[in-house]
Amino acid sequence: MPQPRQGFDPAEFGKLLQMFHQQQDLAQFRQSPQQVAREWLGFVLGPEDVLLGCDHGAGIVNVWGGGSTRIHPVSNTDCNTTFDTLDAGTKPGPPDQTNITDRENLLMPTDTHTIARTAKRPARFACCISALLGAMTADPSLADWVEQGPGPTINGQTEGLKDPRNPVSGAINAIVPDPSNGDILYVGTVNGGVWKTTNAKDVSPNWTPLTDNQLPALSIASLASSPLNRNRLFAGTGSTSSNGGEGNPGFGIARSDDGGTSWKVLATDTFKDKRVTSIVPTAMDDGNVVLAANFYEKGGVYRSTDGGEKFERISGKDGSGLPDAGVSSLIADPAAPQRLYAAIPAVAPSLSPDRGPEPNSGQAGIYRSDNGGVTWSRMGTAPVDGPDPSLRILLSLHNSEGGNVLYAAVAVQKKKTDKSGKGEYKDVWDSVYRSSDRGANWTKLPDIPDVSPGAQASIHGALLADIGDPNAVYLSGDVQTGPANGGNISVTNPNALGCTRWSANVYRYNGRRWEPAVCKGANGTSPHADSRNMVFDADGNLLQANDGGIYRLVKPADRKRRRWVSVLGNLRLAETISAAYDPLSGLAFCGTQDNGSAAQTAQNDFSWKTLIEGDGGVVAVDSDVNGHPGKSIRYYTYAELGFFTRSAWNARGRMIKGSEQAVRLRVKGTGKPLTRVDDTVQFYNRYVLNLVDPKRMLIGTTKLYESLNRGDLLNAIYEGDGYVKALAYGGRRQGAEFADVLYAGTSSRQDPQPEDDDVEKSLPTAGVANAEEPEATGETTGRILHRTNVGEQVAALASYKGSGVVDLAIDPQDYGHVFVVDDKDRIWASFDEGQSWSELTANLKDLLKGPVKTLTVKGADSYSPDTVLVAGGGYGVAQLRSPETRGDWATVDKGLANALVNDLRYDGEYHMLVAATLGRGVWTVGFK
């Protein structure tokens, strides 16, 4: 074993560390951390030593030996590369572990016992020191982001599932099963890219992301493989997120010729800003003929004859027979490669929350092509002849010796009125039709059950013809119906199907009647709500994709034995709205689109646990260890500040029993909660804890509310005509604390409501989800509101030059430095408390290549005198060091997936930057 030099003195080593802490020899260490660490420690590493790895968590450096595997490397420093050989010990089994638990005391040592104890294993200690110092001095532009999850989240919005219990992950649009191997699956996810598993039948499949950094964005609308070559994959891009279609609107067709290992982006000009909702490779011309369809932007059918390199638009072309209209479903007939079907509804929903459905075609119907998509003919009109306009039509085909049968499911806008005669249109699945003569004639099946009580048929729903029975078909919608007696669905208040959660709504037509395929109809099991796709795997089991992920219905035609199981494994697809880092435990928690608010359970563990089901909102943490030693206080909400909760957590990341309680939100002078007196509460409503006194809270709607007691009692301090989009509360200047300081950024544009599975709340009107930051249809205005001291009037800063505010942040060491991003993706800065403003956008748009969504600031500290402004959005993170110099931005995205970054938080005490991404969950990086 290597030995320390004679006369090793912990106090002497402490002095050396203190020198390093004062940033002496910093450049030398960056160039050669191995050499410096060896010289400082005086260790000689012999050739008999075995290579090991080490791992750095928040405040803890773990050195792993005993033949165990490395969990993940430290940011920019991996002992496997900085040290040639290290002592790993000889015992197999659980790793030996050396913990340095106080990061500050190590760098400014006062605890010589800790240093002496860890020095008993000198090689491991050398690795620890090298890793720790490397992590704390590395150039942040070179640091690696570390993925944290969730994937999956346990005890989510499913029921009866085991191993693990009721898991959820994130939204999936498409499934591609291997035709001969039930273990091989590909999925195309709404905002998380393409993934593959080779052990899909395991209890917990292992999934691999294939496109994190191979595609410019991760919004996948469709996915298919060539019928001639299963390794040739085509992905149609564009987001159909339930969060208002947020994500990339489309950048072309991505093709892989090697099973997803590498990708090439094609037809970018044709499909820019168009969601390719159907992609159909064919066997024609050696597989070179590929068809694609666009629905939401009314692009219609496109055709390629060179394997997807270029596409020609067929819809609206003279002589094609296809009207100039959007196509909601495009499928091929496996019995005849040249035969295809296209569905054209009467109206098309818009993914923009500022617009409702628009006319699509006066020639709505089902169209068939018998020559590979060159020309088309309109088939029988029965599926679209009803009194309500068809909004969406799905097609599915059964092909066997028993027959070639085409099914069509029709969604309509149906007006529902109350007793007063007032009404609104709802998007619902209305009927299913069957044709046994290739669409010439149609028979309507018996009335379908209500599979869309959430009125989300414009985006949620799936149709699948049975693989074995030509008379059977499956239909799924959005969410379960409520209990007969009203109220919230629960174990003590189930609905008619025995469902106890707002889970999936799936039925099977058996040739005579519709039968439920969830809850009582599936042995008490049900997947997540909001279906998107259904297919059969190679073993004849049904696979469903929905907003929670992917699930399998085993023995789907057997109503006595069928049951749902999870296929999620380690899929990490959360569309994260907000995330926070709890420095006490070194664990993160977040709010997600349709998969609740969730908390990480252990470092380096992707499996999280559910805090609140449904739509998670903004989260925050009070980590003031002086105010409440040994515990942190976390805040999390449902949409529209529903179920607003705070709870206490210990250093192990466990909720303290009995600490969970409602944030009362009582508005002073009313005796009522905010949600009952203010009708401008937004879906993802903003609130923030005070930077220097986290017992205080600021909430923004079109009003500002201030609380001095953790949100229980609110005092209205401002009322305006703009919607509050961003808040900063409490600050410092020249070392002094100013708890009364506040800034608020507003926009004239409201946050409309995304798709919501809680049917007890108001249901969305026709059209798809409403985005948190919807697409502008006109010029927006914004204001920056400011106050320095309690008792002063909150006032708008007249000199602000930008448009509607998206986010703002202040320098934590100088509240007079405030930074704003507006809805034109411009960055504005004031260094004199808002009296004057200058633009800092510079090259940021070239780096992010998408909307700027979030800002945070690292203030000057003992590690670095630089203030750093950090921006996130589509698709990555960038930094501007010393922003007062008005220089250029640089990327901070090494190792980060190309997902839309919704939220950034910086923990100045532990130098941790946290990113909430839309589609790839939560990521962290050490940042100074």
Side-chain angles (χ1 to χ4, degrees):
M1 172 178 287
Q3 298 294 324
R5 68 182 178 213
Q6 293 293 321
F8 175 80
D9 183 358
E12 178 188 2
F13 182 65
K15 292 178 182 178
L16 289 171
L17 288 180
Q18 186 169 352
M19 285 175 54
F20 189 84
H21 180 67
Q22 294 170 347
Q23 301 190 28
Q24 298 184 26
D25 294 323
L26 180 60
Q28 181 185 358
F29 185 85
R30 283 181 175 168
Q31 291 176 0
S32 181
Q34 172 185 355
Q35 178 182 351
V36 172
R38 282 178 172 173
E39 288 178 357
W40 280 14
L41 297 175
F43 294 151
V44 178
L45 302 179
E48 72 278 10
D49 300 322
V50 182
L51 198 67
L52 39 84
C54 61
D55 171 60
H56 169 64
I60 297 177
V61 177
N62 299 317
V63 181
W64 304 97
S68 68
T69 58
R70 175 171 50 89
I71 296 177
H72 68 73
V74 182
S75 299
N76 201 41
T77 304
D78 180 350
C79 290
N80 285 353
T81 57
T82 59
F83 281 75
D84 296 327
T85 57
L86 290 169
D87 169 38
T90 58
K91 292 193 303 180
D96 293 332
Q97 179 175 327
T98 297
N99 291 336
I100 301 174
T101 55
D102 190 333
R103 188 171 182 172
E104 298 297 331
N105 282 348
L106 178 62
L107 289 180
M108 300 289 287
T110 57
D111 183 357
T112 57
H113 172 71
T114 298
I115 295 176
R117 175 170 58 84
T118 54
K120 291 179 182 178
R121 297 181 181 272
R124 295 176 187 166
F125 190 37
C127 180
C128 279
I129 299 304
S130 176
L132 179 62
L133 298 182
M136 301 196 72
T137 60
D139 181 345
S141 65
L142 301 178
D144 285 341
W145 285 86
V146 178
E147 185 180 2
Q148 301 293 345
T153 298
I154 307 305
N155 205 26
Q157 196 173 322
T158 64
E159 48 190 305
L161 308 187
K162 300 178 180 179
D163 300 323
R165 182 182 178 186
N166 291 326
V168 297
S169 178
I172 294 175
N173 261 331
I175 308 169
V176 177
D178 186 284
S180 59
N181 186 342
D183 267 323
I184 298 177
L185 294 176
Y186 296 88
V187 293
T189 73
V190 168
N191 271 310
V194 179
W195 294 63
K196 178 184 180 180
T197 181
T198 58
N199 63 338
K201 293 189 285 187
D202 282 12
V203 171
S204 183
N206 182 55
W207 290 86
T208 301
L210 302 179
T211 54
D212 273 358
N213 300 112
Q214 294 224 32
L215 297 181
L218 302 180
S219 303
I220 306 298
S222 56
L223 184 69
S225 63
S226 168
L228 300 181
N229 179 3
R230 66 187 65 176
N231 287 319
R232 173 168 270 204
L233 300 169
F234 294 85
T237 67
S239 174
T240 58
S241 171
S242 295
N243 193 33
E246 194 170 21
N248 190 285
F251 54 87
I253 305 290
R255 190 186 75 201
S256 173
D257 296 325
D258 52 16
T261 301
S262 61
W263 295 82
K264 181 180 181 181
V265 178
L266 311 170
T268 53
D269 291 340
T270 302
F271 294 112
K272 179 177 170 53
D273 297 336
K274 289 184 174 64
R275 294 158 175 88
V276 181
T277 47
S278 298
I279 186 76
V280 183
T282 76
M284 291 180 286
D285 191 18
D286 295 326
N288 283 314
V289 176
V290 181
L291 286 97
N294 164 262
F295 179 38
Y296 295 106
E297 291 79 25
K298 298 190 291 186
V301 171
Y302 298 77
R303 188 174 188 270
S304 171
T305 58
D306 56 8
E309 298 281 343
K310 300 183 295 295
F311 281 82
E312 177 188 18
R313 186 168 186 248
I314 302 300
S315 295
K317 181 182 177 182
D318 288 345
S320 71
L322 271 183
D324 184 1
V327 168
S328 62
S329 185
L330 176 68
I331 66 171
D333 188 342
Q338 73 280 6
R339 185 180 303 132
L340 300 110
Y341 296 92
I344 299 180
V347 297
S350 171
L351 281 170
S352 169
D354 297 329
R355 300 194 307 270
E358 300 173 348
N360 185 46
S361 176
Q363 303 174 58
I366 310 299
Y367 288 74
R368 190 183 78 204
S369 174
D370 295 318
N371 59 2
V374 177
T375 60
W376 298 75
S377 300
R378 189 175 185 225
M379 298 293 99
T381 59
V384 293
D385 277 348
D388 299 304
S390 56
L391 180 77
R392 189 171 170 222
I393 303 171
L394 297 180
L395 302 175
S396 184
L397 195 138
H398 168 94
N399 182 64
S400 70
E401 293 181 0
N404 186 274
V405 179
L406 180 65
Y407 288 91
V410 181
V412 302
Q413 278 202 307
K414 190 177 290 291
K415 188 173 184 179
K416 295 185 177 181
T417 59
D418 57 23
K419 294 180 180 179
S420 67
K422 295 181 179 180
E424 58 182 338
Y425 285 95
K426 303 293 185 183
D427 301 345
V428 298
W429 289 104
D430 178 71
S431 53
V432 175
Y433 293 80
R434 180 182 189 274
S435 173
S436 58
D437 56 7
R438 301 184 180 90
N441 296 281
W442 295 88
T443 300
K444 183 181 178 183
L445 300 188
D447 288 347
I448 65 172
D450 184 5
V451 296
S452 46
Q456 298 172 24
S458 59
I459 191 171
H460 292 133
L463 180 73
L464 180 64
D466 194 275
I467 195 171
D469 185 349
N471 297 307
V473 66
Y474 298 82
L475 177 68
S476 59
D478 44 47
V479 69
Q480 275 298 316
T481 56
N485 62 353
N488 191 41
I489 197 169
S490 67
V491 174
T492 58
N493 193 28
N495 69 3
L497 296 184
C499 298
T500 60
R501 283 179 164 172
W502 300 109
S503 60
N505 207 328
V506 186
Y507 281 81
R508 179 179 188 268
Y509 180 70
N510 62 14
R512 300 178 304 278
R513 61 182 179 274
W514 292 96
E515 57 187 26
V518 294
C519 301
K520 285 183 179 179
N523 287 286
T525 62
S526 181
H528 191 279
D530 301 334
S531 62
R532 290 175 176 269
N533 190 252
M534 292 189 291
V535 300
F536 286 103
D537 66 14
D539 300 321
N541 297 311
L542 184 150
L543 297 169
Q544 189 197 68
N546 52 51
D547 275 12
I550 178 172
Y551 303 84
R552 178 188 296 114
L553 182 61
V554 181
K555 300 185 183 301
D558 188 336
R559 62 185 181 87
K560 291 185 178 181
R561 294 194 295 167
R562 64 182 168 222
R563 63 181 300 109
W564 291 92
V565 297
S566 167
V567 196
L568 289 177
N570 62 343
L571 274 171
R572 303 177 297 280
L573 309 175
E575 292 184 276
T576 316
I577 304 303
S578 168
Y581 172 77
D582 186 340
L584 182 66
S585 60
L587 301 176
F589 63 110
C590 67
T592 73
Q593 160 64 37
D594 208 16
N595 285 286
S597 294
Q600 191 176 21
T601 57
Q603 291 186 21
N604 312 308
D605 190 348
F606 290 142
S607 181
W608 293 29
K609 67 177 182 181
T610 297
L611 301 173
I612 296 175
E613 292 181 29
D615 290 300
V618 177
V619 298
V621 61
D622 168 4
S623 57
D624 181 9
V625 294
N626 295 318
H628 34 81
K631 65 181 181 182
S632 61
I633 299 175
R634 301 184 187 181
Y635 294 79
Y636 38 94
T637 81
Y638 182 74
E640 298 174 337
L641 297 179
F643 305 109
F644 200 169
T645 304
R646 65 174 178 263
S647 55
W649 297 68
N650 63 26
R652 296 174 57 222
R654 302 290 184 267
M655 185 189 299
I656 297 172
K657 187 177 181 180
S659 69
E660 193 171 32
Q661 55 187 298
V663 179
R664 299 182 65 194
L665 299 176
R666 297 285 178 179
V667 178
K668 186 176 180 180
T670 70
K672 297 179 180 179
L674 169 65
T675 52
R676 294 185 59 186
V677 300
D678 189 335
D679 61 3
T680 65
V681 173
Q682 298 173 79
F683 196 81
Y684 296 125
N685 202 87
R686 280 66 165 180
Y687 70 91
V688 67
L689 305 184
N690 193 286
L691 177 67
V692 298
D693 182 3
K695 297 189 302 298
R696 300 173 64 162
M697 178 186 292
L698 188 66
I699 301 175
T701 58
T702 56
K703 306 176 179 66
L704 289 177
Y705 299 89
E706 187 173 29
S707 172
L708 305 181
N709 64 347
R710 306 191 187 282
D712 284 339
L713 182 64
L714 307 179
N715 184 32
I717 60 173
Y718 174 84
E719 181 172 358
D721 56 2
Y723 294 91
V724 174
K725 302 290 186 174
L727 297 163
Y729 188 31
R732 301 182 183 92
R733 175 171 277 180
Q734 297 180 343
E737 295 183 345
F738 295 84
D740 296 339
V741 167
L742 69 82
Y743 291 90
T746 74
S747 174
S748 57
R749 184 190 308 152
Q750 184 183 7
D751 279 359
Q753 179 175 296
E755 298 283 12
D756 184 1
D757 283 333
D758 184 352
V759 297
E760 293 302 306
K761 294 182 176 290
S762 59
L763 296 173
T765 56
V768 256
N770 296 319
E772 185 181 4
E773 298 293 347
E775 175 186 336
T777 56
E779 188 74 18
T780 61
T781 59
R783 294 181 179 180
I784 306 298
L785 310 175
H786 181 46
R787 184 196 72 185
T788 304
N789 299 297
V790 167
E792 295 177 357
Q793 183 178 0
V794 177
L797 299 173
S799 57
Y800 170 63
K801 300 178 180 180
S803 57
V805 174
V806 172
D807 198 12
L808 66 78
I810 63 171
D811 184 335
Q813 303 303 332
D814 189 339
Y815 70 78
H817 295 184
V818 57
F819 307 92
V820 176
V821 55
D822 68 15
D823 55 18
K824 294 183 178 179
D825 302 319
R826 298 173 298 186
I827 307 297
W828 302 95
S830 172
F831 299 100
D832 54 11
E833 205 170 341
Q835 297 306 303
S836 62
W837 294 83
S838 56
E839 187 176 353
L840 302 182
T841 309
N843 63 328
L844 180 61
K845 295 181 182 180
D846 295 331
L847 297 180
L848 293 188
K849 302 184 186 305
V852 184
K853 300 284 293 180
T854 178
L855 296 176
T856 192
V857 179
K858 184 210 82 70
D861 55 30
S862 58
Y863 299 113
S864 171
D866 294 335
T867 297
V868 185
L869 176 61
V870 187
Y875 299 88
V877 177
Q879 61 166 329
L880 179 63
R881 289 188 167 262
S882 302
E884 65 277 7
T885 64
R886 296 166 176 79
D888 281 344
W889 294 76
T891 56
V892 188
D893 57 5
K894 185 180 178 184
L896 180 65
N898 292 339
L900 178 69
V901 176
N902 257 337
D903 185 27
L904 287 171
R905 308 281 181 94
Y906 180 69
D907 186 294
E909 182 178 359
Y910 288 91
H911 312 283
M912 186 68 71
L913 184 61
V914 183
T917 72
L918 191 78
R920 287 293 278 111
V922 179
W923 297 65
T924 59
V925 66
F927 188 85
K928 297 172 304 304

